Amino acid sequence: MPNITLSGVAKSYGGGDYAVKNLDLTVPDGAFMCLLGPSGCGKTTTLRMIAGLEQPSAGTIAVGDRILDSVERGLYVPPEKRDMGLVFQNYALWPHLSVRENVEFGLRMRKVPAPERRARAAAALKMVHVDAAMERYPSQLSGGQQQRVALARMLAINPTVLLLDEPLSNLDARLRLEMRAELKRIHDESGATIVFVTHDQLEALTMATDIAVMNEGELQQLAAPMELYARPANRFVAEFVGSPPMAIVDVGAAPTGLAGSLLRFVESRAAGCAPAGIGIRPEALRLDPPPDAAWSEEALVEAVLPAGSSWTVRLRILDAELYALSYTPVEAEPGDTLTCWTDQMHLFGEGGDRISSWDRTKVGA
Amino acid sequence: MALLTKAETPPPPPRRRRLVYRLRVLRHDPTAALGLILVALLAYLVVAPLVAVVSDAFRLQYGDQVHAGQQPGEWTGYYLWRVFRSQISGLLFWEPLLNTLVVAVGTVVFAVVVGGGMAWLVTRTNVPGRKWLAGALVVPYMLPSWTFSLAWLSLFKNERAGGQVGFLQAMGIRTPDSLAYGAVPIIITLGLHYYPFVLLLVGNALRRIDAQLEDSARILGAPQRTVIRRIVAPLMLPALSSAVLLVIGRVLGTFGTPYVLGLPADFRVLSTGLYQSIRDRSTGVASVLATVIVIIGILIVFTDSRLMREHRRFVTVGGKGAMDRLGDLRRWRWPAFALGLLVFVLSVLVPVLTLLLSTVTRTPLDLSTFTLDFWLAERLPGAVGFPHGVFRGSELWTAAWNSLRIVGLASLICALCGLLIGYVVVRGSAPRIAGFLRQVSFLPYLIPGIAFAAASLSLFAVARGPVPALYGTTFLLILVMAVTHLPYSSRSGIAAMMQLGREPEEAAQIAGASWWQRMRRIIFPIQKGALVTGIVLPFISGLKELSIVIMLTTTGTELLTTLSIGLVDYGYTQLANAVVLVIALVSFTMTYLTQRLTKSSLASGLGG
Ligand SMILES: Nc1ncnc2c1ncn2[C@@H]1O[C@H](COP(=O)(O)OP(=O)(O)OP(=O)(O)O)[C@@H](O)[C@H]1O
Ligand SMILES: [Mg+2]
């Protein structure tokens, strides 16, 4: 099964604004790709363009050699001929058809004979564990069941590409966890290429094989989850991925305070390096006794916020306020002074792009 | 990776390329084509007639060359002069205008006093039988509007117009002309028909007022009277002004009542004047009158929407169902109930029973002369044009069949168009087409029915281009009737499609269904309910429709309503009454059944 490629894709809904600007994206065969980004960044638009429900203003969308959209060459394949599955955020089940009829619909359209149709619909429903509710109508199902039926409806036609638009956002926390695992399983079993839209970074990090981070219609970074986390391409990705987010200290012309302290440390490591911003992830800001080759500074504890398995500590370091995330109990009280240290930093250049990351435990990047 | 700086928007592909691509997309998506077809249809059926009637008002018609000293087809101010400034303009325009104003103001006052009072009674007080009253008091609106005028004649008619005299006259009590015909009876009968309109609108508004608003005022120390003056009244203003303006608009376009009760006393209003001009074949004058009515109609609705916009800031938030505390009438409870009952008796029982009795007695309402001849007799001595009971002979059945067929088809077309308009608007691939459809399909709402019929005549009475003259054809009737009811069905169609959203269809598209399959298997089945309401509501109001069809029917295309008016013309009061009773029965039964079956309220069908 070939790759999905988007090249130079732009979309404007009329007026001057672009919902998607010049997007180049390749979804590898068999990938589980997440489109991740804040609300309104063009994720749904991108997904709908791949499905053919929305037409790009410029650019080309192809699956393997088959061009689905090409504004430049005037080529277009309508959605009903694309053989993709799309699960809508609000499920969009057909209220006048029973669960079974909903799932059989796509097969009926493909003129699959009745016995096979039934068998395949039953199998798809079994896969998502709603085969017991086969003869019910969508209004008689719970939200979670409706969502599974929507999924089964698309699985039944064995799509090579499955598009999912925030399918888990309407579920409660427990069901969401369950469905994440189930989606992973379905991905493994069916071998389909999945493109999954979400604005929940945890969802993206736990499920995806590849993550495409978007902001304001632009692709920010395309990488594997841990790569994305370890080496964010720019300040936006760095701040968007991770919770609590990475703190980025701006380095001005003549930095003082925390910025000055960090810059002196960086320059002592790599002479001539002139970052415009230095980022530290909360969990990289440590409170245990510092090793030798690390940056360290005195910090005033402002608040300790325990959260069961982890502790978030608000610290005042020189002129700045930072969060530290610890997975071991923090004994300090507000007002105490501690030594904090880090051996992991991300350096960002003038335009916001990452210049390098420094990590003592791994060899630099 | 210099991503942030890189992602400039690319230069858009050349225009020609984009066009090729767009065309390719359109070939696979019939929505755009459907939108264009609907646009063309509406332009032809709604916009073109209006253009035609306005242009007819300024062009010299055949036959007027001598008077105007111009050639037919030339631009002329002759008709404007004739209508507004000539010696006969008083008769043609100013007097009918004045009469129209008198009738409109009188009807509004009557409807507001009765409707507003009853609305308050059934929503805000503990009057006994509140629920029943609320339902029963709406019944007059389900009867054809001129039912009341026929009932009035059966009671008060004197010998002036010939034919059977009314009950009072037959008893030997002379009824003066001013009581039998003209402004007074027209105002009363129209008022009886339109007060439910006020009751529904004002009642809804009263129901929505949050009791907490009043409570807070009371807690702050305002006495009951102040609360009503400072809180309730301002909140009622939007609904009230809306009701007033809409009643005026309706009165402006209504034909039956002023025709039945006005003409015998030479009491002309704009609508009957327009009708006569058309019957007299003075097309130019008729066009000017129609244009004037159209303009007044549009002004009224604009005023209404302007007022509504100003009042929008009054809209109370979340006052749903808060009206559970009712004013206690104490010892006025039963008198209040008696008053409500009286209104019901006067507006429903009296007219209907009068009509019924008049059709089963030879001497009006004298039960000793009981007879079923007017319904069943093989031969009625003395009646020339219609020499038998209404159920005998073919006239009633032909008219009923015509009504059923024509109104039914028109409603079907109307509902389908409404749904398709909703579909195109919601798919919204072309905002400009959607906007046009939304607005133009609503246009007939602004135009009093009789003026729209006149406009349609202007366009379709003569052959234009490849379109033959349609006057007198069933086809024209169906078209005009469908178009005039389009505002309601397109609004409900848009609402239904909006509620559904585009996703169910897109899901089907993704699943591989072609456009036709999506329509047949997804859209129409889901919208079945909306479609049925979209058919039934125009059907009910179309059955009672007279103003629109009166100018378009000919002997071959007689409808129930025009049959009844025709019998009035002949002076066969009892027969006319019998036919109206048939219409009233059908329309009432259907409204009742629809409300029962679809749980839709009459308020949404206010189009009637
Ligand atoms: N039909 C439309 N017409 C006009 N603008 C639109 C339309 N659909 C989306 N947009 C705009 O395009 C931009 C991207 O929208 P999109 O729906 O792709 O965002 P999203 O990333 O899916 O956001 P969310 O996470 O909130 O779903 C937004 O600014 C939105 O307002
Ligand atoms: Mg979205």
Side-chain angles (χ1 to χ4, degrees):
Chain A
M1 174 62 211
N3 304 335
I4 308 170
T5 44
L6 284 75
S7 41
V9 171
K11 171 70 184 178
S12 159
Y13 283 107
D17 289 345
Y18 278 79
V20 170
K21 304 170 198 165
N22 202 12
L23 188 63
D24 290 308
L25 183 69
T26 300
V27 186
D29 177 21
F32 193 127
M33 174 174 284
C34 268
L35 291 182
L36 177 67
S39 185
C41 70
K43 306 180 297 286
T44 298
T45 305
T46 306
L47 204 69
R48 287 172 59 87
M49 283 194 290
I50 298 175
L53 295 173
E54 217 70 70
Q55 282 78 46
S57 319
T60 302
I61 299 173
V63 172
D65 300 334
R66 188 179 180 216
I67 295 182
L68 301 179
D69 278 290
S70 171
V71 184
E72 286 74 14
R73 291 165 58 184
L75 299 176
Y76 171 71
V77 178
E80 59 266 33
K81 302 235 168 74
R82 292 193 178 194
D83 265 326
M84 294 183 174
L86 169 61
V87 178
F88 291 83
Q89 183 168 349
N90 60 358
Y91 320 141
L93 293 180
W94 301 303
H96 64 301
L97 300 180
S98 70
V99 167
R100 191 171 49 73
E101 288 165 325
N102 261 283
V103 177
E104 280 184 13
F105 186 86
L107 300 170
R108 194 185 285 272
M109 292 301 112
R110 284 167 179 69
K111 306 219 159 49
V112 175
E116 188 190 340
R117 207 161 65 205
R118 276 170 181 269
R120 279 172 68 178
L125 284 167
K126 204 175 180 68
M127 202 172 202
V128 296
H129 307 309
V130 271
D131 42 335
M134 203 111 101
E135 299 305 328
R136 284 203 239 159
Y137 282 84
S139 59
Q140 302 166 325
L141 299 179
S142 74
Q145 288 170 323
Q146 290 184 19
Q147 195 255 322
R148 293 151 188 245
V149 174
L151 197 58
R153 184 170 68 178
M154 290 304 154
L155 291 175
I157 57 174
N158 270 337
T160 45
V161 175
L162 187 57
L163 309 170
L164 305 159
D165 190 358
E166 308 205 21
L168 307 186
S169 58
N170 291 357
L171 305 184
D172 66 40
R174 197 184 59 81
L175 203 54
R176 193 180 313 189
L177 267 180
E178 219 169 89
M179 283 310 294
R180 276 186 201 157
E182 216 149 300
L183 273 179
K184 275 300 261 191
R185 185 173 55 78
I186 287 167
H187 176 238
D188 294 340
E189 279 177 23
S190 67
T193 306
I194 294 184
V195 183
F196 185 101
V197 164
T198 180
H199 57 235
D200 181 341
Q201 45 159 314
L202 193 63
E203 208 160 270
L205 290 170
T206 51
M207 297 207 300
T209 58
D210 306 80
I211 297 178
V213 181
M214 294 181 67
N215 187 33
E216 296 188 348
E218 297 167 4
L219 180 66
Q220 302 293 321
Q221 185 173 11
L222 172 60
M226 288 329 285
E227 166 77 8
L228 193 75
Y229 192 77
R231 275 179 281 281
N234 55 40
R235 289 180 73 145
F236 175 81
V237 177
E239 287 177 316
F240 190 74
V241 179
S243 163
M246 176 191 291
I248 298 182
V249 181
D250 281 312
V251 180
T256 55
L258 179 61
S261 164
L262 286 168
L263 186 66
R264 273 193 301 284
F265 178 79
V266 168
E267 280 176 338
S268 74
R269 297 270 139 186
C273 176
I278 301 174
I280 303 172
R281 288 209 184 275
E283 69 272 23
L285 195 59
R286 312 273 293 266
L287 301 173
D288 46 336
D292 287 343
W295 167 86
S296 64
E297 199 68 68
E298 291 292 292
L300 176 71
V301 176
E302 291 195 327
V304 180
L305 315 162
S309 62
S310 68
W311 287 256
T312 305
V313 185
R314 194 164 84 223
L315 300 169
R316 172 156 292 277
I317 309 171
L318 301 173
D319 59 341
E321 205 168 76
L322 261 65
Y323 284 91
L325 184 65
S326 166
Y327 291 99
T328 52
V330 176
E331 305 294 346
E333 297 279 320
D336 291 356
T337 308
L338 296 173
T339 303
C340 68
W341 62 275
T342 186
D343 53 5
Q344 292 168 40
M345 289 182 195
H346 303 269
L347 309 184
F348 299 96
E350 210 51 67
D353 291 348
R354 190 181 58 100
I355 320 172
S356 71
S357 297
W358 173 70
D359 189 335
R360 190 179 55 91
T361 55
K362 298 173 191 126
V363 185
Chain B
M1 282 223 285
L3 275 168
L4 279 186
T5 47
K6 178 199 126 191
E8 297 289 298
T9 46
R15 183 175 285 271
R16 211 176 56 83
R17 296 282 164 158
R18 272 183 301 173
L19 193 69
V20 172
Y21 176 72
R22 276 230 65 81
L23 288 178
R24 193 65 60 90
V25 173
L26 288 183
R27 223 188 52 199
H28 289 284
D29 179 16
T31 315
L34 183 67
L36 286 178
I37 292 173
L38 286 172
V39 164
L41 204 65
L42 288 194
Y44 185 56
L45 294 179
V46 179
V47 180
L50 294 178
V51 174
V53 76
V54 174
S55 96
D56 271 356
F58 292 97
R59 264 182 218 259
L60 204 69
Q61 308 293 322
Y62 283 98
D64 293 328
Q65 297 96 313
V66 182
H67 306 291
Q70 280 177 298
Q71 288 306 305
E74 277 185 63
W75 293 104
T76 178
Y78 171 69
Y79 299 115
L80 285 188
W81 169 81
R82 198 170 156 79
V83 170
F84 296 127
R85 305 297 299 270
S86 73
Q87 278 171 338
I88 58 160
S89 63
L91 201 64
L92 271 183
F93 179 71
W94 297 109
E95 199 190 300
L97 179 70
L98 186 70
N99 289 341
T100 307
L101 285 180
V102 169
V103 167
V105 170
T107 306
V108 162
V109 171
F110 187 104
V112 166
V113 169
V114 177
M118 289 301 119
W120 179 74
L121 214 57
V122 298
T123 55
R124 307 297 307 259
T125 70
N126 63 345
V127 67
R130 215 158 60 85
K131 285 254 165 57
W132 178 80
L133 273 182
L137 289 175
V138 182
V139 171
Y141 201 70
M142 303 178 197
L143 307 173
S145 70
W146 80 105
T147 312
F148 303 91
S149 46
L150 289 188
W152 187 276
L153 280 188
S154 299
L155 290 173
F156 295 103
K157 188 177 178 192
N158 60 24
E159 64 284 331
R160 181 187 177 107
Q164 182 90 356
V165 294
F167 170 67
L168 290 180
Q169 195 85 6
M171 297 274 292
I173 305 167
R174 254 202 58 79
T175 46
D177 277 359
S178 64
L179 185 62
Y181 306 104
V184 175
I186 292 180
I187 287 174
I188 294 175
T189 51
L190 281 181
L192 285 178
H193 180 63
Y194 283 117
Y195 84 82
F197 203 99
V198 181
L199 186 145
L200 285 171
L201 285 173
V202 173
N204 277 343
L206 276 174
R207 225 170 264 128
R208 273 202 305 268
I209 291 184
D210 193 335
Q212 292 172 8
L213 291 175
E214 290 179 71
D215 289 346
S216 0
R218 297 293 287 280
I219 288 166
L220 292 172
Q224 176 81 44
R225 215 161 352 111
T226 317
V227 172
I228 289 181
R229 192 161 51 85
R230 304 293 291 267
I231 310 279
V232 179
L235 285 171
M236 294 318 300
L237 223 53
L240 203 60
S241 70
S242 218
V244 165
L245 287 171
L246 289 180
V247 169
I248 294 180
R250 290 301 156 76
V251 170
L252 197 64
T254 195
F255 170 79
T257 302
Y259 181 75
V260 172
L261 289 176
L263 279 201
D266 276 335
F267 183 86
R268 254 178 263 261
V269 294
L270 286 178
S271 60
T272 49
L274 173 60
Y275 172 74
Q276 284 207 324
S277 303
I278 285 187
R279 280 284 133 107
D280 298 347
R281 308 212 171 272
S282 21
T283 313
V285 169
S287 304
V288 174
L289 289 178
T291 308
V292 170
I293 298 180
V294 167
I295 291 173
I296 301 179
I298 290 179
L299 279 182
I300 287 176
V301 177
F302 272 154
T303 316
D304 180 41
S305 62
R306 175 61 58 87
L307 283 181
M308 280 309 251
R309 207 169 310 146
E310 262 172 37
H311 284 308
R312 186 149 312 152
R313 51 204 160 92
F314 285 146
V315 169
T316 50
V317 190
K320 177 171 76 178
M323 220 32 275
D324 38 10
R325 251 179 341 98
L326 301 171
D328 189 355
L329 292 173
R330 275 170 291 213
R331 60 202 162 87
W332 292 103
R333 283 187 70 202
W334 288 103
F337 176 74
L339 188 66
L341 197 63
L342 181 72
V343 172
F344 175 73
V345 167
L346 288 182
S347 62
V348 179
L349 286 190
V350 169
V352 170
L353 285 181
T354 306
L355 289 184
L356 190 62
L357 285 181
S358 83
T359 60
V360 292
T361 49
R362 279 191 198 285
T363 312
L365 311 192
D366 179 359
L367 278 179
S368 63
T369 59
F370 179 84
T371 171
L372 284 178
D373 280 1
F374 296 114
W375 292 96
L376 299 175
E378 200 90 49
R379 289 208 55 79
L380 278 181
V384 184
F386 200 109
H388 42 67
V390 288
F391 285 155
R392 292 295 172 130
S394 62
E395 288 91 341
L396 180 84
W397 306 113
T398 313
W401 170 234
N402 276 341
S403 277
L404 221 61
R405 187 164 63 103
I406 290 173
V407 179
L409 259 176
S411 315
L412 187 69
I413 292 174
C414 197
L416 270 178
C417 279
L419 207 57
L420 288 178
I421 288 173
Y423 175 77
V424 171
V425 167
V426 170
R427 285 288 299 220
S429 44
R432 236 170 288 162
I433 290 184
F436 179 90
L437 290 181
R438 213 188 254 271
Q439 275 154 17
V440 173
S441 66
F442 192 63
L443 201 56
Y445 184 75
L446 315 184
I447 297 163
I450 197 155
F452 192 79
S456 305
L457 264 189
S458 282
L459 183 68
F460 297 114
V462 291
R464 289 186 198 248
V467 184
L470 294 175
Y471 180 62
T473 59
T474 327
F475 187 65
L476 180 61
L477 268 174
I478 295 175
L479 276 190
V480 175
M481 201 169 259
V483 170
T484 45
H485 287 107
L486 202 54
Y488 311 103
S489 59
S490 79
R491 265 205 304 191
S492 69
I494 291 175
M497 293 301 300
M498 284 276 183
Q499 204 185 7
L500 182 63
R502 40 203 282 196
E503 272 152 13
E505 193 204 344
E506 288 177 345
Q509 198 172 5
I510 295 287
S514 68
W515 186 78
W516 182 238
Q517 285 169 320
R518 301 197 297 269
M519 289 315 252
R520 197 164 58 89
R521 290 183 180 271
I522 304 293
I523 301 288
F524 279 110
I526 293 182
Q527 297 293 22
K528 212 164 39 191
L531 202 58
V532 170
T533 350
I535 293 174
V536 172
L537 290 179
F539 186 79
I540 294 169
S541 100
L543 269 188
K544 302 181 293 178
E545 186 62 65
L546 177 66
S547 315
I548 292 164
V549 296
I550 186 73
M551 289 200 268
L552 303 177
T553 47
T554 51
T555 33
T557 52
E558 201 83 89
L559 303 181
L560 281 175
T561 49
T562 55
L563 174 66
S564 154
I565 284 292
L567 290 170
V568 173
D569 285 343
Y570 278 126
Y572 301 156
T573 322
Q574 294 92 339
L575 296 175
N577 293 355
V579 176
V580 167
L581 279 177
V582 171
I583 303 173
L585 185 69
V586 174
S587 120
F588 175 76
T589 319
M590 289 206 48
T591 315
Y592 183 76
L593 285 181
T594 318
Q595 288 199 45
R596 265 298 151 92
L597 295 180
T598 64
K599 305 212 163 54
S600 73
S601 81
L602 187 75
S604 60
L606 274 184

